[in-house]
Amino acid sequence: MANDRHGRYRFLAGAILPALALYAVFVLSPYAQAFYLSLTDWTGVSGQVQFVGLDNFTRLVRDPLFLAALRNNGLMLVVVPVVTIALGLLLAALVTFGGRRGSAIRGASSYQTAYFFPQLLSLPIIALLWQFVYHPNDGLLNGFLRAVGLDALARTWLGDPHLALWAVMAVLVWSSVGFYMVLFAASMSAIPTEIIEAAVLDGAGKLATLWRIVLPLLRDSVQVAFVYLGVLALDAFAVVQVMTAGPGGPDNATEVIGLGLYRNAFTYSRFGYAAAMGVALFFLTLTLAVLALRAGRRERVELA
Amino acid sequence: MNPSSQFRPYPTRRAVLGAAVAGAALPVLGGCVTGGDDGATEAAAGAKTAENPLGVPDKTPLEVVIFKGGYGDEYAINAESLYKQRYPGATVDHKGMQKVGKALQPRFVADTPPDVVDNTGAGRLDLATLVSAGKLTDLADLLDAPSLDDPARKVRDTLLPGVVEDGTFDGKAQVLNFTYTVWGLWYSKPLFDKHGWTFPTTWDAMLALCEQIKKAGVAPWTYQGKYPEYLNDPLLAMAAKAGGADLVKAVDNLEPNAWKQQPLVDAATAIAELAGKGYILSGSEALSHTEAQAAWSQSQVAIIPCGSWLEAEQKGVTPDGFDMVMAPAPALSGGDKLPQTALQASSSESFIVPAKGKNPRGGLEFLRILFSTTAAKRFAELNSTMPSVAGALEGLTLSSGLGSVKTAVDAAGANTFTYRFRTWYAPLAKAVDDATGELATKRITPAQWSDRVQKAADAVAADSAVKKFQR
């Protein structure tokens, strides 16, 4: 018995340690260095650094750009996950139960494939495509609005500080909704049809079935989606960097933490300060993940 | 389900995480990013002779790193072959790349940099930071060395006005810029001829012309809205012409209320007038530089502000017979301190000789060769761009745009000016860009514009962590 166990540990160690070593060198050690650098004034080119204590952090809370970034990321954190998950659930339900008597609709898998497509494009490419869509004079969006006679609704989407952040959020939602739809659809098809049929027999309407029967059974998937989408909303760097004026504009209306970090490090050569931003972002993300996972900690429903 | 009854043969997730964090927190920091060695390296040097005034060691290899962007790197390879002809014992290691900063940052930290670097492009290293870290060689020896073409003239006397000053930090020349860029307003000459428009030299005439252009169904102005710094160029140029060198100095030296000087407010008012009278193509504020310039190349717009690289940049999309030309920004008033022909000019493509390279003398000599008329002419031919060496364009057949740039530079003579705050204080540059973007969309007034920028300048001035420069 004891021998058996030893062999097992040796095997496990052999499997895990190389990966753990790589992880330590390429993930943990940079993290540790970032924490250390956030307490210094490192410029990125000099071998000499000065320890400045918590200076970078006190500067951070007084930096109007960082505060603007916090506000914008905060708004995205509220809007992007909720809208994406709601749309994803709705589309998944339509595909999975939208057919006759709550069965899958015809061609369900081709819908799923189509909705999944944006996931295959990298984020900068998506941002570039949407920049063309939002083009104020020749763009698809304004072109469509003008073609159907809604000229009054045409806007300079990315050039208006009141609209730019919403335009960015729309792109984030568009790019991720397909993935979560597929995820939710997979969980939904695992729900035994008897449960749905029973609900329908009891006289539940479509919305009530979705809200009271299906959604509670999907708790785990939704929770994971919240964490991932939250992380996405706290980042949003690529889309903002490629798409917006400035970038981060107009007039910092789309400033995000990642962008401020990048600018301070690679344009201003303030790597110490940028590291402090990274540390702040790290704790924000960590808090979000812990909260989201705690909030959803409940008794699990076992199916079948 | 009762979790405590679960069989747990392995350490819990929590325990693993805890151990990992503890392990990582132990200073893994010894050999990492900031671990540089500041010991002095002995640089190789040879005997100084009339043929070899910089004392280049013949047998020491030379490592050259060139930004391979819009200008390619063929011009540098050409200069390297001239170097090898002069020093047959030396090998030249040439590297052309786009992300200069990414490749060289660790080498600067470790004090093992190349011998000469073209620190240019979006990923370049911040010059002010390199300077304050003491990473660069003083170029005085090079500037005072006899030029390759005419030993009676020093290298410094063969350069266009402002080039030496552009590379001077703290009174020491540490950067030498190879291309000469001037800023102005661009238009298509045939388009103007067709309508009988003449390019104005005063702002009042500009407004009158814009009215005519608008009546002809063409948008008078556009700008590269995603990057409002393009619109800063006419604004700051008009202010500099009206206020003269003192105004520019006050701005760069972060003097109190420098941004509230009347010529700056007047210039901001001029730009606001363009927006207010509807002379700017609608939607410009959301256009990238390529989109705005494309609209201009298709003659939807008459005038666009840009630097002298515009012709080369638009090469692929310019219709035949478009014949673009550049004109200096108009004069704000009759009382301007500088003539209207004065030009905002500065040099770029920043060449540096790292202080801790193995062959800094060779690096300096490479620059002496590159800044000779022969090598500079070759560059001008390859890239239709003006090098910062005087007379490099003489005898060449010039395109419409480059010809107009040369004419403008000749007309300006010594009356060139440049603001240094952009390179000295990048955060202030961002504040100016943001404010100008808002000004051009009528979201702020000229007075608010100068208030906002002044506030940003005061913040930079009060920040003890920012290294200050004076001119």
Side-chain angles (χ1 to χ4, degrees):
Chain A
M1 177 74 189
N3 261 345
D4 190 31
R5 243 177 120 155
H6 258 201
R8 193 153 88 166
Y9 275 125
R10 210 173 298 149
F11 170 72
L12 278 177
I16 291 172
L17 281 181
L20 208 60
L22 286 176
Y23 187 77
V25 171
F26 290 111
V27 180
L28 294 180
S29 130
Y31 264 115
Q33 291 185 37
F35 276 84
Y36 159 67
L37 286 176
S38 73
L39 304 174
T40 69
D41 66 350
W42 193 44
T43 57
V45 293
S46 164
Q48 290 173 338
V49 292
Q50 247 177 16
F51 191 75
V52 295
L54 292 176
D55 247 29
N56 286 328
F57 291 94
T58 50
R59 202 175 257 270
L60 209 54
V61 294
R62 279 184 279 121
D63 181 345
L65 271 182
F66 184 73
L67 297 179
L70 271 187
R71 261 197 311 280
N72 294 336
N73 276 122
L75 183 65
M76 286 204 258
L77 189 56
V78 174
V79 175
V80 172
V82 170
V83 175
T84 310
I85 289 172
L87 279 176
L89 279 172
L90 194 69
L91 292 172
L94 285 175
V95 166
T96 320
F97 307 118
R100 249 183 302 163
R101 278 193 230 118
S103 64
I105 56 167
R106 220 181 297 163
S109 62
S110 58
Y111 280 106
Q112 293 195 7
T113 313
Y115 283 119
F116 196 74
F117 265 134
Q119 199 66 30
L120 303 178
L121 298 174
S122 75
L123 221 44
I125 292 181
I126 289 177
L128 203 64
L129 292 176
W130 275 90
Q131 192 200 315
F132 299 146
V133 172
Y134 286 137
H135 189 293
N137 304 328
D138 315 326
L140 203 60
L141 183 54
N142 279 351
F144 171 77
L145 289 172
R146 287 181 185 128
V148 298
L150 293 171
D151 295 53
L153 288 182
R155 292 278 182 286
T156 310
W157 302 101
L158 292 170
D160 185 332
H162 302 293
L163 295 173
L165 189 61
W166 295 96
V168 168
M169 288 195 278
V171 175
L172 287 177
V173 170
W174 179 86
S175 68
S176 38
V177 80
F179 175 82
Y180 292 98
M181 175 216 168
V182 171
L183 183 79
F184 295 149
S187 314
M188 280 182 191
S189 50
I191 299 175
T193 37
E194 302 91 72
I195 298 184
I196 308 288
E197 278 168 9
V200 175
L201 279 181
D202 286 344
K206 288 207 159 165
L207 265 185
T209 317
L210 180 63
W211 186 249
R212 295 180 185 241
I213 311 291
V214 175
L215 193 56
L217 292 172
L218 252 55
R219 174 177 290 283
D220 280 354
S221 307
V222 172
Q223 199 181 343
V224 168
F226 250 109
V227 175
Y228 279 127
L229 285 166
V231 172
L232 180 82
L234 280 181
D235 175 17
F237 168 71
V239 174
V240 169
Q241 164 87 355
V242 174
M243 230 170 64
T244 62
D251 204 22
N252 304 317
T254 56
E255 176 80 6
V256 289
I257 301 173
L259 192 68
L261 192 160
Y262 179 87
R263 187 187 305 117
N264 272 288
F266 298 104
T267 311
Y268 300 169
S269 271
R270 292 186 194 153
F271 278 79
Y273 188 51
M277 289 186 167
V279 168
L281 186 58
F282 169 82
F283 281 113
L284 279 176
T285 316
L286 198 69
T287 316
L288 168 82
V290 169
L291 283 182
L293 293 174
R294 281 280 147 112
R297 204 184 251 187
R298 275 212 216 158
E299 200 135 322
R300 227 169 260 190
V301 183
E302 296 284 339
L303 290 177
Chain B
M1 198 167 65
N2 181 359
S4 63
S5 72
Q6 258 186 328
F7 173 56
R8 277 206 171 132
Y10 311 121
T12 63
R13 186 187 51 164
R14 207 172 286 250
V16 170
L17 272 180
V21 169
L26 289 175
V28 217
L29 306 168
C32 56
V33 286
T34 56
D37 138 46
D38 283 306
T41 23
E42 199 55 48
K48 289 186 187 176
T49 62
E51 265 303 288
N52 181 4
L54 290 165
V56 178
D58 185 26
K59 295 268 162 8
T60 313
L62 180 77
E63 186 185 358
V64 184
V65 172
I66 298 293
F67 168 65
K68 197 174 173 180
Y71 303 135
D73 60 352
E74 201 188 320
Y75 73 94
I77 295 171
N78 173 57
E80 287 157 17
S81 65
L82 294 175
Y83 183 92
K84 270 186 279 192
Q85 279 170 23
R86 293 179 68 86
Y87 305 97
T91 52
V92 177
D93 176 7
H94 170 91
K95 291 191 181 80
M97 59 176 76
Q98 297 198 338
K99 304 264 167 163
V100 176
K102 263 196 190 138
L104 296 189
Q105 192 195 359
R107 296 186 59 186
F108 271 104
V109 172
D111 279 334
T112 55
D115 302 311
V116 60
V117 179
D118 170 12
N119 181 41
T120 306
R124 66 182 173 269
L125 292 168
D126 184 45
L127 281 174
T129 310
L130 285 173
V131 166
S132 45
K135 296 285 182 184
L136 304 182
T137 303
D138 188 342
L139 301 179
D141 283 359
L142 165 67
L143 294 174
D144 291 326
S147 69
L148 210 58
D149 304 293
D150 174 8
R153 287 173 78 198
K154 292 176 180 174
V155 170
R156 99 168 51 240
D157 300 326
T158 64
L159 303 171
L160 284 170
V163 175
V164 172
E165 207 210 347
D166 281 346
T168 302
F169 292 80
D170 290 339
K172 272 194 277 182
Q174 313 200 40
V175 180
L176 198 52
N177 294 332
F178 188 49
T179 61
Y180 199 67
T181 308
V182 296
W183 281 266
L185 300 170
W186 291 78
Y187 60 98
S188 158
K189 197 155 189 321
L191 180 73
F192 269 54
D193 289 348
K194 190 178 100 187
H195 292 279
W197 301 329
T198 36
F199 202 86
T201 52
T202 67
W203 188 253
D204 288 338
M206 171 61 87
L207 291 177
L209 174 70
C210 283
E211 195 54 43
Q212 276 185 40
I213 297 177
K214 202 178 169 188
K215 280 204 185 109
V218 178
W221 275 60
T222 188
Y223 69 105
Q224 298 82 339
K226 270 182 87 174
Y227 313 102
E229 67 248 42
Y230 283 87
L231 194 58
N232 279 334
D233 294 324
L235 194 165
L236 294 176
M238 289 194 289
K241 288 182 200 188
D246 291 341
L247 176 137
V248 180
K249 231 181 213 170
V251 163
D252 285 344
N253 289 345
L254 299 177
E255 279 170 24
N257 290 326
W259 289 90
K260 299 199 167 176
Q261 298 175 85
Q262 199 53 44
L264 272 163
V265 181
D266 291 344
T269 311
I271 297 296
E273 268 176 308
L274 278 186
K277 295 192 166 151
Y279 293 157
I280 298 181
L281 175 76
S282 75
S284 289
E285 68 270 24
L287 299 184
S288 68
H289 61 298
T290 36
E291 289 165 342
Q293 289 162 198
W296 171 76
S297 282
Q298 293 156 7
S299 298
Q300 296 170 17
V301 189
I303 299 167
I304 192 168
C306 198
S308 46
W309 62 80
L310 182 66
E311 189 180 36
E313 192 173 32
Q314 293 298 94
K315 216 174 191 171
V317 293
T318 305
D320 284 340
F322 187 73
D323 289 349
M324 63 176 81
V325 285
M326 192 200 79
L332 267 184
S333 69
D336 278 12
K337 295 207 174 132
L338 293 177
Q340 188 266 330
T341 51
L343 272 184
Q344 167 141 272
S346 77
S347 44
S348 42
E349 275 312 284
S350 309
F351 280 83
I352 50 179
V353 178
K356 297 283 171 67
K358 291 203 183 71
N359 188 6
R361 306 309 295 179
L364 294 175
E365 177 73 359
F366 172 80
L367 292 184
R368 195 169 75 104
I369 293 168
L370 183 66
F371 283 76
S372 69
T373 320
T374 332
K377 258 206 167 76
R378 183 83 192 111
F379 173 83
E381 277 171 349
L382 284 168
N383 295 303
S384 352
T385 298
M386 194 170 197
S388 52
V389 180
L393 294 183
E394 296 303 335
L396 298 178
T397 333
L398 303 179
S399 55
S400 156
L402 189 55
S404 72
V405 168
K406 182 179 179 296
T407 313
V409 170
D410 291 346
N415 284 314
T416 66
F417 55 89
T418 181
Y419 290 86
R420 305 290 301 278
F421 73 89
R422 279 205 94 80
T423 30
W424 288 349
Y425 312 113
L428 176 58
K430 177 175 164 45
V432 181
D433 295 347
D434 289 345
T436 303
E438 294 303 283
L439 182 71
T441 46
K442 298 181 277 184
R443 289 192 285 260
I444 59 173
T445 65
Q448 285 169 320
W449 178 87
S450 77
D451 279 350
R452 272 177 62 152
V453 178
Q454 187 57 49
K455 232 186 207 167
D458 291 344
V460 172
D463 189 342
S464 58
V466 177
K467 183 177 162 58
K468 303 297 186 309
F469 298 91
Q470 287 285 320
R471 65 184 290 185

